[in-house]
């Protein structure tokens, strides 16, 4: 089940067949949050970066930023993988 932030949970429907879509992937700006113990990678949070590498903080070691710090969720149709996927930014 994908996480929900600023929006309320809502079913994602396939634009081709109206089936309820499954969450496929979440691309998150941050790896976790020490303040509320949200998920952290199995290997633990990253340490200090090697010298010469730009670094955005311990919880953003990949320096990937989705929008203004959001998560992007991709959903797929379980009835037919050829149907278009949908995405949600939050």
């Amino acid at each position: 089940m994908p996480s929900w932030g600023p929006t309320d949970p809502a079913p994602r429907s396939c634009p081709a067949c109206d089936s309820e879509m499954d969450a496929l992937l979440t691309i998150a700006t941050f790896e976790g949050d020490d303040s509320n113990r949200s998920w952290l990678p199995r290997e633990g949070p990253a340490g200090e970066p090697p010298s010469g590498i730009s670094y955005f903080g311990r919880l953003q070691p990949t320096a990937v930023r989705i929008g203004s710090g959001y998560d992007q969720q991709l959903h797929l149709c379980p009835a037919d993988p050829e149907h278009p996927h949908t995405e949600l930014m939050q």
Side-chain angles (χ1 to χ4, degrees):
M1 171 66 84
S3 65
W4 294 96
T7 63
D8 290 331
R12 310 292 297 168
S13 297
C14 175
C17 71
D18 208 35
S19 294
E20 186 172 337
M21 300 186 86
D22 292 336
L24 173 66
L25 172 71
T26 297
I27 304 166
T29 294
F30 299 100
E31 282 199 358
D33 183 347
D34 285 338
S35 69
N36 65 14
R37 302 297 299 157
S38 68
W39 79 272
L40 292 172
R42 174 176 273 173
E43 67 273 7
E48 291 298 315
S51 64
I53 293 180
S54 177
Y55 192 60
F56 289 86
R58 190 170 70 83
L59 297 176
Q60 194 184 12
T62 61
V64 170
R65 176 164 283 192
I66 304 297
S68 296
Y70 299 116
D71 295 346
Q72 181 175 23
Q73 299 173 354
L74 301 179
H75 296 82
L76 77 117
C77 177
D80 189 339
E82 297 296 318
H83 288 175
H85 71 274
T86 61
E87 59 91 20
L88 175 64
M89 295 269 294
Q90 52 175 11

